[in-house]
Amino acid sequence: MSRSFALNLFVCAGLSLAGAAWAQGADTPADAINPLIGSTNGGNTFPGAVLPFGMLQWSPENTRGRHTHTASPSGYEYNATRIRGFSITHLSGAGCAGASGDVPFMPITQAVTSSPSADLKDTTYATDFTHQNEKAKAGDYRVTLADGVQVELGAAMRSGMASFTYPSGKPANLLIRASDSEVGSSDADVQVDQASGTISGSVTSGNFCGYLAKADQRSYYTLYYVAHFDRPFTAVGAWENDSVKPGQTSAKGGTGYGDKGFPEPGKGSGAWVSFDPSKGPVTVRVGISYVSLANAKANLDAEIPASTTLAQLHESARKAWNDALGRIAIDGGTPDQRATFYTALYHVLMHPNVYSDVNGEYRGFDQKTHRVEGSQKIQYANFSGWDIYRSHLQLVTWLFPKIGSDIAQSLYNQAKQNDGEWDRWTHNSGGTHVMSGDPAVPALADIWVFGGHDFDLKGAYASLVKAATVPTVHDSSDDGCNVECVGQRPSLDQWLKLHYIATQSHAWAGAAETLEDVTADFALSQLAAQVGDKAGEKQFLTRAGYWRNIFNPNAAPEGGYIQNRNADGSWPAFKPESDDGFVEGSAAVYLWMIPFDVHGLFEKLGGYPKATARLDRFFHDDNGKWALTKAGPLHSELDNEPSVAAPWLYDFAGQPYKTQESVRIVVNSLWKNTPDGIPGNDDLGEMSSWYVWSALGFYPEIPGRAELVLGSPLFTKAVVHRQGGDLVVDAPQAGTDVPFVHAVTLNGKTHNKPWFPASVIEHGGHVQFTLQSSADTAWGSDLKNAPPSFGPPHS
């Protein structure tokens, strides 16, 4: 394959090739990837073939024997060793009951005598497999099923290839489960053209987290697909619901979403084709589009010409991943640590996804066709805002400023097409409203300060200001609550009047919503500064201080807590272990979630000694053992977002050695090169981004700011390649059990602060860590050198 063809697969997404030139057969970042990491224990990753930020993700759909319920939200669960299809779209690390998983292709070795949609326990048209017969690499997935069918999958940006090798002496059939998206569909159609060896169709779906509330039991995207086969069809057939129609070349009908947000048992449609197994492997090229069949065909023709082999596609994917992952080169560490690191970066670079076609068209939130304009190259989709504003978008933008810029413009485009509302969790061309807060604000602020400047900042800022100051009908609606409250700023009228979100509101949880809103307002103050709005900067920085209105200094014997507050100003009954007023966490967890005003929080807690003593108890049980996750509601949950910033808070209190120790114990114990190697939902790469930052030795603690608080490097050397200048991190003594910092130099000068200024992000430089196995309690202990904190402005 020519080098130019390989480039075409991913340069269009904004990935340049200015990184290392990896030799054929060398030990490269892509070769270190283990796509099975996180595929059980709730990580919810998938092992299939995908390019960086790819629109198409071709991966298995596993089953536990319930046709209407996927085995995992990603479609793949390591311990569910039965496959019912290989779908062409997936999300990595999401929760709820699944999303996408569209158009499963399922090879079978028996005749189709009953409807696959009526196979309610997946006993007939699903097949077992073993992990010994499975191989997953970056952009390359292979498995031999128990019935002898060999499956190989590969991916380009908006297209993919598969090969099915059938055993001799058995029927060779392929099901196209047109309607069987992971959480169902409202409509689907499929057509078989025997003359051209083509199958095409569409599926209309959505329904992310729809089982939790009626607000999301709806469709909001249509996926179009065209599949070209290299072998003639010897027979065809189709089914609709329980009706099987041999010889028919088309079918139509979705599964519906039922009364409870799951596919209706027995409903659905699809088609099958038969092959002569003696003629060798069957290869299919598939193109997809969220706009039209014509665009799906154009995407396929542009990315995978008819002469392309699957081996060529696999090699192109390997090159694409090496160029993307090679933005960070590491030395040292064990093979398992290298695999964990590069797989975490691999998961970071899966989302958001390319959503526009090769001609620039995409389906907007208004369900109309749009085209990218101006300097925007790509429209992106799939934005789990509550998760990825914390550290994911910072990493993506730092490595790929143009991609970060296009993500920001994509979010603004979505809002303009959505009556000015910025949804907090967007899936393809629809908003799902899942989770809490207004994460688009810190997301855009993160992108800007980490180098993504090529988007309409002034227009986006004006839109966000309006959303933060003018209540909407949705802001005053209970639709979707608790998990999917439809407002961008739920109970904004209450926020403007009371300066907090009360116990009774139109939000999921009052105290948690207040903390998310103050983070959003702090980020909005930073955007105001960027556009030169001094009044707005002061206004929103003042609003960022509203967290003090839900800090009850007498909440518990050990001291104050963030807690729910009634609209009349009174405090309801309270227990620190309670999750009343909070989202996926307790009051003990949320106490520490004020990342932009840490010094203000410590002051409220009675000063630094008292604050750090409480942090110590948060990370340890009564016996002094680490309490990192599942140790009870009074302790940290470092498998989920509300806790991930907490270990870095010691840097603000003159005890950075405790940050170094606690971060390293998390890196060493909760992250592994195994299927259970991600401690919780990876949330479209957010948790993996935390690992990447932590292994490098620093972290973007404050949303909307580019300062980095320090831990310690896991690897002896890391080089972050960037257009603005490389960052070289040397730590010769680094190792698994060597977490403590004794000294740091920045560009050759002694650096005694447990944080780096924003210039490191902007310009790079050379950092030298001197590490040791015992704590150096003196380094970074001077509070005058603590990281910055941002309280309300002085009047």
Side-chain angles (χ1 to χ4, degrees):
M1 172 180 286
S2 70
R3 177 70 168 170
S4 61
F5 173 70
L7 300 185
N8 287 338
L9 296 182
F10 54 95
V11 167
C12 56
L15 294 166
S16 72
L17 298 176
W22 303 103
Q24 177 72 24
D27 181 16
T28 71
D31 298 324
I33 298 302
N34 176 6
L36 291 170
I37 291 177
S39 60
T40 191
N41 192 38
N44 294 344
T45 62
F46 63 83
V50 61
L51 283 192
F53 309 104
M55 178 188 288
L56 179 141
Q57 310 88 17
W58 210 332
S59 190
E61 292 290 327
N62 293 10
T63 177
R64 295 185 185 274
R66 297 182 69 188
H67 187 71
T68 59
H69 291 65
T70 183
S72 159
S74 71
Y76 183 94
E77 217 304 323
Y78 186 83
N79 295 315
T81 53
R82 189 169 176 83
I83 291 175
R84 66 180 179 203
F86 298 88
S87 296
I88 54 180
T89 61
H90 290 85
L91 296 183
S92 179
C96 285
S100 296
D102 302 304
V103 198
F105 286 57
M106 184 62 199
I108 58 173
T109 58
Q110 73 265 38
V112 181
T113 58
S114 60
S115 170
S117 292
D119 186 16
L120 300 184
K121 295 184 178 180
D122 288 330
T123 56
T124 304
Y125 300 113
T127 309
D128 292 340
F129 75 103
T130 65
H131 296 297
Q132 289 77 10
N133 291 323
E134 179 184 41
K135 187 176 183 179
K137 298 191 295 184
D140 181 351
Y141 178 85
R142 309 179 192 201
V143 65
T144 299
L145 303 175
D147 59 11
V149 178
Q150 298 174 30
V151 179
E152 297 184 32
L153 306 175
M157 188 60 69
R158 307 167 182 85
S159 53
M161 290 183 71
S163 173
F164 305 105
T165 303
Y166 293 87
S168 61
K170 294 182 180 181
N173 294 319
L174 181 68
L175 304 179
I176 309 297
R177 298 181 182 268
S179 63
D180 285 8
S181 303
E182 282 181 4
V183 288
S185 59
S186 59
D187 197 12
D189 68 89
V190 59
Q191 297 86 34
V192 180
D193 185 340
Q194 286 185 273
S196 64
T198 301
I199 298 176
S200 60
S202 67
V203 60
T204 300
S205 185
N207 195 37
F208 179 60
C209 297
Y211 71 101
L212 294 175
K214 289 291 185 182
D216 276 343
Q217 289 177 25
R218 58 188 173 86
S219 293
Y220 43 76
Y221 74 87
T222 297
L223 176 75
Y224 299 88
Y225 59 94
V226 58
H228 290 300
F229 292 82
D230 71 342
R231 295 282 184 267
F233 307 146
T234 60
V236 301
W239 74 90
E240 293 178 352
N241 299 332
D242 62 356
S243 177
V244 180
K245 303 174 181 180
Q248 185 158 317
T249 58
S250 64
K252 184 176 177 60
T255 65
Y257 302 130
D259 293 332
K260 297 183 178 180
F262 290 100
E264 295 184 47
K267 289 196 66 177
S269 63
W272 78 88
V273 292
S274 303
F275 304 95
D276 181 349
S278 69
K279 301 297 184 182
V282 175
T283 300
V284 58
R285 297 178 301 120
V286 178
I288 64 172
S289 167
Y290 291 91
V291 174
S292 67
L293 275 175
N295 279 17
K297 184 179 185 303
N299 290 341
L300 178 60
D301 291 344
E303 295 181 351
I304 310 181
S307 60
T308 308
T309 68
L310 192 52
Q312 290 173 324
L313 194 66
H314 286 155
E315 181 57 25
S316 293
R318 180 174 177 271
K319 290 176 180 177
W321 277 111
N322 274 327
D323 282 308
L325 299 168
R327 290 298 177 97
I328 304 180
I330 56 172
D331 288 334
T334 67
D336 279 344
Q337 287 170 337
R338 293 176 62 84
T340 303
F341 178 86
Y342 276 121
T343 304
L345 185 55
Y346 167 81
H347 286 139
V348 168
L349 300 182
M350 282 187 180
H351 299 294
N353 302 102
V354 169
Y355 199 62
S356 51
D357 295 325
V358 292
N359 64 1
E361 291 183 341
Y362 66 95
R363 186 76 66 185
F365 267 42
D366 54 6
Q367 301 306 314
K368 297 177 181 178
T369 299
H370 298 262
R371 189 185 296 269
V372 293
E373 299 176 342
S375 63
Q376 185 182 8
K377 301 299 183 184
I378 299 288
Q379 178 75 12
Y380 287 88
N382 301 329
F383 169 80
S384 60
W386 184 83
D387 308 297
I388 64 175
Y389 83 78
R390 300 168 198 267
S391 60
H392 173 278
L393 289 172
Q394 294 92 318
L395 184 57
V396 168
T397 305
W398 192 34
L399 300 179
F400 302 102
K402 178 55 181 170
I403 291 179
S405 295
D406 279 0
I407 291 169
Q409 187 64 47
S410 297
L411 291 171
Y412 182 32
N413 291 344
Q414 290 176 352
K416 289 189 290 184
Q417 298 152 10
N418 194 39
D419 297 324
E421 294 186 0
W422 300 65
D423 198 277
R424 65 183 67 87
W425 215 118
T426 72
H427 179 212
N428 292 334
S429 51
T432 71
H433 338 301
V434 170
M435 303 308 294
S436 64
D438 188 11
V441 187
L444 261 68
D446 294 338
I447 288 170
W448 185 268
V449 296
F450 276 79
H453 296 164
D454 192 11
F455 69 95
D456 183 3
L457 175 62
K458 290 185 177 180
Y461 171 73
S463 176
L464 289 167
V465 167
K466 182 177 180 181
T469 55
V470 181
T472 67
V473 172
H474 283 162
D475 292 339
S476 298
S477 173
D478 286 328
D479 288 352
C481 291
N482 288 335
V483 182
E484 304 156 9
C485 301
V486 297
Q488 178 182 338
R489 289 272 187 148
S491 287
L492 177 59
D493 58 338
Q494 203 176 68
W495 181 254
L496 297 174
K497 179 181 179 181
L498 301 178
H499 298 173
Y500 60 92
I501 303 299
T503 305
Q504 297 297 321
S505 70
H506 303 292
W508 180 347
E513 195 75 26
T514 298
L515 293 192
E516 294 288 354
D517 282 353
V518 296
T519 291
D521 281 345
F522 173 74
L524 202 50
S525 77
Q526 301 306 292
L527 289 175
Q530 297 294 343
V531 301
D533 180 4
K534 296 296 185 181
E537 181 182 6
K538 183 176 181 180
Q539 174 190 4
F540 293 110
L541 190 57
T542 298
R543 285 174 38 160
Y546 288 176
W547 65 266
R548 289 168 169 78
N549 297 327
I550 60 165
F551 182 86
N552 182 356
N554 303 309
E558 63 269 28
Y561 277 93
I562 298 292
Q563 71 163 97
N564 257 348
R565 191 170 192 177
N566 297 325
D568 64 4
S570 62
W571 301 100
F574 173 77
K575 292 182 178 180
E577 63 268 29
S578 173
D579 63 0
D580 186 27
F582 300 97
V583 172
E584 296 187 359
S586 65
V589 167
Y590 270 79
L591 173 63
W592 308 107
M593 210 182 80
I594 309 169
F596 59 89
D597 194 5
V598 177
H599 295 304
L601 173 64
F602 286 179
E603 180 182 346
K604 284 288 188 181
L605 293 176
Y608 295 96
K610 290 184 178 179
T612 54
R614 289 182 66 173
L615 264 179
D616 292 344
R617 293 195 296 272
F618 183 61
F619 289 117
H620 297 83
D621 64 19
D622 291 342
N623 297 317
K625 296 181 179 179
W626 287 102
L628 305 175
T629 182
K630 299 178 178 61
L634 292 175
H635 300 290
S636 65
E637 292 289 356
L638 285 158
D639 59 353
N640 202 15
E641 282 75 12
S643 281
V644 294
W648 305 90
L649 297 181
Y650 289 112
D651 279 348
F652 293 80
Q655 297 182 4
Y657 67 94
K658 291 184 178 178
T659 285
Q660 298 151 20
E661 183 180 25
S662 58
V663 170
R664 181 59 56 83
I665 195 67
V666 174
V667 165
N668 287 348
S669 62
L670 299 188
W671 292 81
K672 298 170 287 185
N673 181 23
T674 58
D676 64 348
I678 298 177
N681 293 174
D682 200 36
D683 292 322
L684 279 64
E686 165 54 33
M687 298 301 287
S688 283
S689 73
W690 185 94
Y691 179 90
V692 172
W693 286 113
S694 299
L696 290 173
F698 34 78
Y699 185 74
E701 179 79 359
I702 306 174
R705 300 287 301 186
E707 293 88 354
L708 300 172
V709 293
L710 300 190
S712 59
L714 180 63
F715 300 101
T716 55
K717 185 169 187 174
V719 180
V720 182
H721 297 288
R722 293 190 65 257
Q723 294 174 352
D726 290 355
L727 175 65
V728 178
V729 181
D730 281 315
Q733 301 86 13
T736 302
D737 300 317
V738 188
F740 295 107
V741 175
H742 175 63
V744 176
T745 64
L746 175 59
N747 296 325
K749 297 181 179 179
T750 298
H751 187 82
N752 292 320
K753 299 178 181 180
W755 60 283
F756 289 148
S759 59
V760 170
I761 289 296
E762 185 175 1
H763 302 298
H766 183 206
V767 177
Q768 177 94 22
F769 282 86
T770 301
L771 304 181
Q772 58 189 40
S773 57
S774 58
D776 184 337
T777 60
W779 185 85
S781 62
D782 189 341
L783 288 173
K784 292 184 294 185
N785 291 329
S789 190
F790 301 88
H794 298 294
S795 56

